[in-house]
Amino acid sequence: MSGKRKRTHQDSTDSPFRVRGGPSESTSQIIPEVDKRYVVEKVQPGKVDKLTAVILHTELRAQVPRVLLDDDDEVETDKMKEEKEMMFYVHYEKLDRRNDEWVTLDRILVNEVVEPLVPNTIIIPDDVKIEGVPMITPSGALTRSQRKNLEEYTHLKTDAANMDATTARLEKEHEERTKIKNIPRITIGAHTINSWYYSPFPPYCENHEIFMCEYCLLYTPHKSRFKKHLMTCKTRQPPGNEIYRKDNISVYEVDGSGQKLYCQCLCLLSKLFMDHKTLYFDVDDFMFYVLCETDSSGAHIVGYFSREVESANNLACIMIFPPFQKHGYGKLLIQLSYELSKREGYIGTPEKPLSDLGKVSYRSYWWWVLMKSFHRHQGHTVTASFLSNESGIAVDDIVSTLSTMRMARQYKEPEFLPNEWYVRLHGKILNHCISNDYGRPPILLLDRSKVRWAPEKTRDEVSRLNKMSMSTRRASKSQTVTPLPTPPIDLTSGKTGIFNYLSTGCSFREPPFKKLERTKGV
């Protein structure tokens, strides 16, 4: 025997799973591996939680991203390289992706036991909030109905096994491309906000704090350039027509084809807080409705929604920026989107799929509108088409909203219309909805008399012109001068609900009860 001890993998100084540090050169520590699960300390205000997380990426980087003061800061010095350390990008299994973050090695508890992940189960994020729907926490495998409800009402990602091959491939590419946040935070106006998701800002902005002008939305990672811009920028409101003003709240309509740069910057900004937004630069066929809080210094951007011109959807994307959330602004914009589609004479619906926060707001809004109709027709059974015509909400949205309470169903009996959904408005069901606070009114109500907007043509007029090959580029656009209240429109008599909204001075006329479609015995 030579007396030499065989060096094991743990003793190897060349092992990639060991790093040197501490008081002595011999001190070493195991480095976590990518795609493995560990217990990680999640630092939150006033407490530190131990949560299971997956390591998505490792990188040598500084703990705090540098703020670029001038052009010289773009050159990386030796001192900057020395300040970097190995950091790990983690996803907490019980939190939404917006909580993903970079952590240092000392926050990863590699020696603690991780709870095993049971196959065929679904993890419901703790920060998922469902409005009007009871939380479901299944244990074990899910049935097809349970999975559908969870994906619909908790905005969880659809299982790849239930997607077609093309959709699954695109979803995987999107997740791989956007899994790591490239912008740590952004300063806009008086607010500095930590980003939630990846946004395709130019490469020179990556891993730096972004400074954005709240009026013109021009951005830069250089603080000195940003200060110079603020001294020279004369813009004090979005570049569009003001179509709504009440108290200190204003909404501006911005044409994507005429204000392309502004709308592209708006999309980049909103993508920081929206997971599946895909519209970045193709903004020509969209109108943007920017919500602002106004004061003596100007109109400060709060959020916006967009909608595609000549589309059946009355809303394509909606975003209220984090400092202004939970103040009722989201439902105010939803009310406005339906108001515009009513004035155009069609039943609108938001573009699917909705974002997580957008879905929560819509659910609450739909319950609020439908509950008002339910009180009027309590004790009867009506069709979803009837409710849609009365409320202005699309049939599919009504059915998906009421499915959680099993209030909508189809019948195969010959006395019922085929492929029609029926809603039974039983008093006990309504009392249950009321006791669970379904359909509570929004914090901010839209004042329809303050909406200064009228369509150039209603959808019926556009349809007739299209048949005559005389269609124009745009079907909906605010007037170039100060908009007037919606003028009376002479429509075919006998129509109710959304069509009467136009012909009766923007007020619903309740249809007589004899028009209700009822089932036998109800």
Side-chain angles (χ1 to χ4, degrees), residues 419-435:
N419 301 321
E420 180 62 86
W421 288 89
Y422 288 83
V423 181
R424 186 180 183 186
L425 306 179
H426 195 282
K428 290 184 179 179
I429 297 179
L430 296 183
N431 291 335
H432 174 77
C433 293
I434 295 172
S435 63

Side-chain angles (χ1 to χ4, degrees), residues 289-472:
Y289 299 86
V290 184
L291 176 66
C292 298
E293 291 180 346
T294 59
D295 57 24
S296 58
S297 61
H300 310 280
I301 186 169
V302 168
Y304 81 101
F305 79 88
S306 63
R307 66 171 182 158
E308 188 175 4
V309 177
E310 299 181 4
S311 170
N313 301 316
N314 61 357
L315 185 144
C317 175
I318 183 171
M319 169 55 61
I320 302 298
F321 300 115
F324 307 99
Q325 291 177 2
K326 298 183 180 180
H327 290 80
Y329 289 125
K331 293 190 185 70
L332 180 67
L333 289 182
I334 292 174
Q335 294 174 69
L336 178 61
S337 69
Y338 277 98
E339 177 69 14
L340 301 185
S341 61
K342 289 172 185 176
R343 295 192 178 191
E344 281 195 84
Y346 75 102
I347 295 176
T349 181
E351 184 178 306
K352 309 299 191 307
L354 291 168
S355 65
D356 51 1
L357 298 179
K359 182 172 290 187
V360 171
S361 296
Y362 265 99
R363 291 289 177 205
S364 179
Y365 171 78
W366 288 334
W367 271 112
W368 172 60
V369 175
L370 292 174
M371 285 296 291
K372 293 191 293 184
S373 295
F374 294 167
H375 285 298
R376 289 197 293 268
H377 310 312
Q378 183 175 347
H380 299 284
T381 296
V382 298
T383 64
S385 299
F386 173 83
L387 290 175
S388 175
N389 188 40
E390 182 180 71
S391 64
I393 301 174
V395 171
D396 290 343
D397 297 331
I398 292 175
V399 172
S400 66
T401 302
L402 302 182
S403 293
T404 52
M405 297 298 297
R406 298 184 179 180
M407 294 174 63
R409 61 173 299 186
Q410 292 178 314
Y411 297 90
K412 297 181 179 179
E413 288 78 1
E415 59 266 29
F416 296 98
L417 297 175
N419 301 321
E420 180 62 86
W421 288 89
Y422 288 83
V423 181
R424 186 180 183 186
L425 306 179
H426 195 282
K428 290 184 179 179
I429 297 179
L430 296 183
N431 291 335
H432 174 77
C433 293
I434 295 172
S435 63
N436 284 275
D437 206 20
Y438 286 26
R440 60 177 179 269
I443 299 175
L444 299 175
L445 294 176
L446 183 75
D447 188 344
R448 293 170 177 168
S449 64
K450 303 292 185 180
V451 179
R452 301 183 299 169
W453 187 93
E456 290 183 346
K457 301 177 182 66
T458 64
R459 291 299 174 97
D460 288 340
E461 292 173 333
V462 172
S463 179
R464 289 195 298 268
L465 290 175
N466 285 337
K467 291 179 181 179
M468 299 170 58
S469 300
M470 296 175 59
S471 61
T472 57

Side-chain angles (χ1 to χ4, degrees), residues 2 18 34 37 42-43 58 77 89 91 96 111 136 169 172 183 240 261 331 345 410 423 434 458 489:
S2 62
R18 295 165 61 89
V34 175
R37 302 168 68 240
K42 172 67 174 175
V43 180
T58 63
T77 64
Y89 194 79
H91 167 66
D96 188 86
N111 296 321
I136 307 171
R169 178 178 58 82
K172 185 177 181 180
I183 305 297
L261 180 60
K331 293 190 185 70
Q410 292 178 314
V423 181
I434 295 172
T458 64
I489 300 175

Side-chain angles (χ1 to χ4, degrees), residues 191-293:
H191 304 279
T192 298
I193 318 167
N194 292 328
S195 62
W196 292 358
Y197 304 106
Y198 170 91
S199 182
F201 277 86
Y204 67 85
C205 294
E206 293 187 356
N207 299 323
H208 296 297
E209 181 177 342
I210 299 299
F211 301 91
M212 178 174 281
C213 177
E214 63 179 329
Y215 301 117
C216 67
L217 300 189
L218 293 181
Y219 60 87
T220 177
H222 297 88
K223 193 170 185 179
S224 58
R225 296 181 189 177
F226 180 66
K227 289 182 177 180
K228 292 178 181 178
H229 172 79
L230 292 182
M231 292 187 292
T232 58
C233 183
K234 297 181 180 180
T235 304
R236 285 297 177 267
Q237 66 182 42
N241 297 325
E242 185 181 27
I243 65 169
Y244 180 80
R245 178 188 291 183
K246 184 176 182 181
D247 300 328
N248 68 324
I249 298 175
S250 294
V251 178
Y252 296 83
E253 183 185 56
V254 183
D255 189 343
S257 64
Q259 301 292 337
K260 185 176 296 188
L261 180 60
Y262 179 90
C263 296
Q264 288 175 347
C265 293
L266 183 60
C267 291
L268 288 175
L269 172 62
S270 62
K271 181 62 183 71
L272 290 173
F273 312 103
M274 193 175 301
D275 192 8
H276 272 77
K277 180 177 174 57
T278 56
L279 173 67
Y280 310 135
F281 306 112
D282 185 17
V283 297
D284 287 356
D285 294 326
F286 289 82
M287 304 295 289
F288 294 79
Y289 299 86
V290 184
L291 176 66
C292 298
E293 291 180 346

